[in-house]
Amino acid sequence: MIMFVGQIQSNIYMGNMGILAVRASLPYAPQQTTPTRYDRVEMGTHVQTNPHSGIYKPSSGQMRVLNTPACTKVAPDSRLQAELLPPSEQASYTEEDALINQYMKQYRVDAYIYGDGSESASSEPLKLISKDEISKEDLEKFRSELAEKGLGEEIDWRGVKSDLFQIGVNFDNIERFEQKADYLASRYAVLKDRIQNQFTGDKQEAELQKLEQIYTEAKEKMANSYAESIGGFFEDLGQSGAAEDMHNSVLALVDQKANAYTDYIEKNGDYVSITEPDKQWLKQDDAYMAAQLRQSAGTSSAGSQKQSVNEQAPYDGNDLAFAGIYAKTLSQQLENPTWKVYESDEALGRHLAAQYGALKNSAENAGISEKLSNMLASAFDPFMDRLMDSLDALIDSNRDWVAEKPWMSGMIRTNHIDRESVSNSFHNAISQA
C-alpha cells in the first residue's frame, strides 16, 4: 500500500505571494506567470520497484512509527498572568493591600551584595514567603495585632524608599506617567503632614530633612528618566533643548502636585474618615493615606488645577503625557517598521501625510500647548528620514538574500526608497487635505 503524504507546488503568479517568498518571510514583487511545477513524495511499505519513475518509496526498514506524545492540560496560574507593577503604577491601594503589605514587612531582609554573592546582615535563618502563601488565619491574627498595637510612631523610611525605587519613566510605562507623578506628590504631602503633627523640635526637623532628601532624589530620578527617554528621542530628531525643557517641566509638575495636595490636606483634614477603633493603624500607613488623598482630591477642583508654565519649564502635565505617548508611537515605528516595502514610494508619501494629519488633529483635540505642537511638527520631517533609513535597512537585507540566493532576484525589492518621490507625494497630499 502506498500512502500519498504531500505535494509541494511552486506556482509564481501575478499579484500574489509565491511559496519561496513565504519561506524567506520577505516582501514579494509581482512576476510573470511561469508553468506550474510539482514535487511529489510518497511513502509506503514496499521497496521501490521502478528506480526511474521519480517517486521515492522507502523500505519498511527505513520507516518508523512514532507514538503520540502524552500531555496533561492544566489550568493557567493567575499569579503568573498578573502584571507585576511597582507601587507607583498600581491602580489602587486598599485596606486589604495595606494589611498584606504590613504583614510582608516582617520578612524583609538586610543583605550585603559583593561581587557575585551576597550575605545576610542577620544571624537568623531567612524565611521567604509570597503573598499567596499567607493563610487567612495568620492574616486575621496579624490584623488583630495591628488593631491592638498599631504601627508605632516611627516612620518606615525603608518602606518609603522601596516604594519609590521604581519611580522612573520610560517607554514601557509612559502611559502611567501622570499617575506616577501623583503617587510621588501625594506620598510627600501625607508624610509632611504626619511629621508636622506628630513630632516637634529637633525630631521634627530631622524627619523633615529625611523627607525632603528622599522626595528630591525621587523627583530627580523621575525627571532624569523622562528627559533621557522621551526628551532624548526628540533630541535625536533634531529638537535641540527638548530634554532640558522636559526635565525641568517634570520637576515643576511634581512640585505643583505636591503643593496642591499639601494645600488640600490643610483645607480638608478629614479627607479620609477612619472611625473604627480597630482600623486606626491605617492612619499610620502613609501609602494608604496617600491613596485616600489622591482619591479624595481627584474628585475636587484641586485635582484639576492648571499647572503654571514658564520659559524654563514650558510644558504642563498634559503636554508631557501627550509627548511621551507620541514619542513611543514613533519609536516603535522606527524599531519595527510595519510599512511593506513592496508598496510604491508614492503610497508611502501619502501614508505619512495621513499620519501627519492625524498628529495635528490629535494635538488639537488634546489641547496641548502651541510650543509642544510646533516641536512635534518640526520633528516629523526628521522622523520620516529615519523611517526611510529603517526601510532601506530592510531592503539591504533583501540584497543580502539575493546575493546568497541569486534565484530570488526580481522577486523581492532591492532598490532603496526614492526619497524625492516620497517627499513629493507627502507634500501633495498635505496640500490637498
Side-chain angles (χ1 to χ4, degrees):
M1 178 183 69
I2 296 175
M3 177 179 67
F4 177 74
V5 297
Q7 174 176 295
I8 304 175
Q9 176 178 350
S10 177
N11 183 13
I12 306 173
Y13 48 90
M14 182 70 67
N16 289 302
M17 185 175 289
I19 190 168
L20 297 175
V22 173
R23 285 175 176 171
S25 299
L26 295 169
Y28 173 76
Q31 296 291 316
Q32 296 296 326
T33 304
T34 59
T36 301
R37 298 183 302 170
Y38 296 92
D39 293 326
R40 185 172 177 179
V41 178
E42 294 188 8
M43 293 189 298
T45 57
H46 299 289
V47 179
Q48 168 75 348
T49 57
N50 184 356
H52 304 292
S53 65
I55 300 175
Y56 172 67
K57 300 176 183 177
S59 67
S60 58
Q62 295 173 293
M63 300 293 293
R64 177 181 297 176
V65 178
L66 300 178
N67 295 326
T68 302
C71 62
T72 302
K73 186 175 181 179
V74 297
D77 191 334
S78 59
R79 295 175 298 176
L80 301 179
Q81 294 176 318
E83 187 176 12
L84 299 178
L85 297 175
S88 60
E89 298 177 39
Q90 293 174 10
S92 64
Y93 187 81
T94 65
E95 177 184 337
E96 199 66 18
D97 293 328
L99 177 64
I100 294 176
N101 185 37
Q102 294 298 337
Y103 184 93
M104 295 295 293
K105 288 181 180 181
Q106 301 175 97
Y107 303 103
R108 292 190 300 199
V109 177
D110 286 318
Y112 301 100
I113 299 176
Y114 55 91
D116 297 329
S118 62
E119 180 179 347
S120 173
S122 173
S123 59
E124 296 294 326
L126 297 181
K127 181 178 181 181
L128 302 178
I129 185 173
S130 69
K131 295 179 180 180
D132 298 307
E133 294 174 326
I134 306 174
S135 67
K136 291 183 179 180
E137 294 77 11
D138 287 345
L139 199 58
E140 288 307 313
K141 180 182 178 182
F142 184 72
R143 190 196 302 269
S144 299
E145 293 174 359
L146 288 180
E148 179 183 353
K149 302 177 183 178
L151 289 175
E153 291 189 354
E154 291 301 315
I155 296 173
D156 179 19
W157 291 115
R158 177 180 176 181
V160 174
K161 291 180 181 179
S162 176
D163 288 346
L164 298 179
F165 181 74
Q166 292 179 294
I167 199 67
V169 181
N170 51 52
F171 285 127
D172 291 335
N173 60 18
I174 188 60
E175 293 84 356
R176 295 182 286 274
F177 162 68
E178 285 202 272
Q179 178 181 326
K180 294 173 79 71
D182 276 307
Y183 183 88
L184 173 56
S186 61
R187 287 293 289 271
Y188 170 81
V190 165
L191 283 167
K192 183 177 181 180
D193 177 66
R194 177 178 173 182
I195 292 170
Q196 290 175 335
N197 286 285
Q198 183 174 303
F199 304 111
T200 59
D202 292 343
K203 178 67 172 178
Q204 181 186 88
E205 183 179 352
E207 294 295 278
L208 285 174
Q209 286 179 355
K210 288 181 184 178
L211 173 62
E212 291 298 334
Q213 180 181 355
I214 293 172
Y215 171 69
T216 300
E217 290 175 353
K219 184 175 57 172
E220 282 289 345
K221 185 174 184 178
M222 187 174 186
N224 288 338
S225 59
Y226 185 103
E228 181 179 349
S229 55
I230 310 304
F233 176 79
F234 287 115
E235 291 268 357
D236 289 342
L237 293 181
Q239 306 312 299
S240 178
E244 182 178 1
D245 285 345
M246 291 178 171
H247 173 272
N248 294 338
S249 296
V250 172
L251 294 179
L253 172 67
V254 177
D255 281 340
Q256 180 269 330
K257 287 180 176 293
N259 291 334
Y261 281 126
T262 300
D263 292 342
Y264 185 82
I265 292 176
E266 292 177 356
K267 297 174 183 178
N268 304 271
D270 58 346
Y271 65 90
V272 55
S273 177
I274 304 176
T275 58
E276 299 92 330
D278 61 340
K279 295 185 179 182
Q280 293 303 301
W281 64 271
L282 287 169
K283 294 180 180 179
Q284 297 165 303
D285 187 315
D286 62 278
Y288 177 80
M289 296 295 287
Q292 298 303 303
L293 174 61
R294 293 193 297 273
Q295 182 178 347
S296 180
T299 60
S300 70
S301 58
S304 58
Q305 286 184 358
K306 182 66 176 178
Q307 177 190 350
S308 60
V309 297
N310 53 53
E311 186 176 349
Q312 287 72 36
Y315 302 125
D316 63 13
N318 189 41
D319 286 339
L320 293 168
F322 187 92
I325 297 295
Y326 189 67
K328 179 176 181 177
T329 301
L330 297 187
S331 176
Q332 289 174 335
Q333 287 183 256
L334 295 179
E335 291 180 3
N336 186 25
T338 58
W339 179 257
K340 306 302 181 184
V341 295
Y342 60 79
E343 296 280 358
S344 71
D345 295 337
E346 291 78 9
L348 175 58
R350 293 191 296 271
H351 169 75
L352 290 170
Q355 182 174 339
Y356 180 78
L359 162 64
K360 302 292 285 186
N361 290 334
S362 59
E364 182 177 348
N365 294 333
I368 66 174
S369 67
E370 182 179 359
K371 179 178 177 64
L372 179 63
S373 181
N374 291 338
M375 191 270 282
L376 297 182
S378 298
F380 200 81
D381 277 347
F383 160 73
M384 291 198 303
D385 285 336
R386 291 278 299 276
L387 178 62
M388 287 185 279
D389 288 341
S390 297
L391 296 175
D392 281 344
L394 293 177
I395 293 171
D396 285 338
S397 66
N398 287 359
R399 292 181 173 184
D400 293 339
W401 274 94
V402 171
E404 183 180 346
K405 306 179 189 307
W407 50 265
M408 296 183 67
S409 178
M411 298 179 61
I412 55 179
R413 177 169 181 167
T414 55
N415 59 304
H416 283 161
I417 302 292
D418 185 342
R419 304 194 178 213
E420 184 176 356
S421 295
V422 174
S423 179
N424 291 338
S425 178
F426 173 82
H427 288 102
N428 287 338
I430 292 296
S431 64
Q432 297 173 9

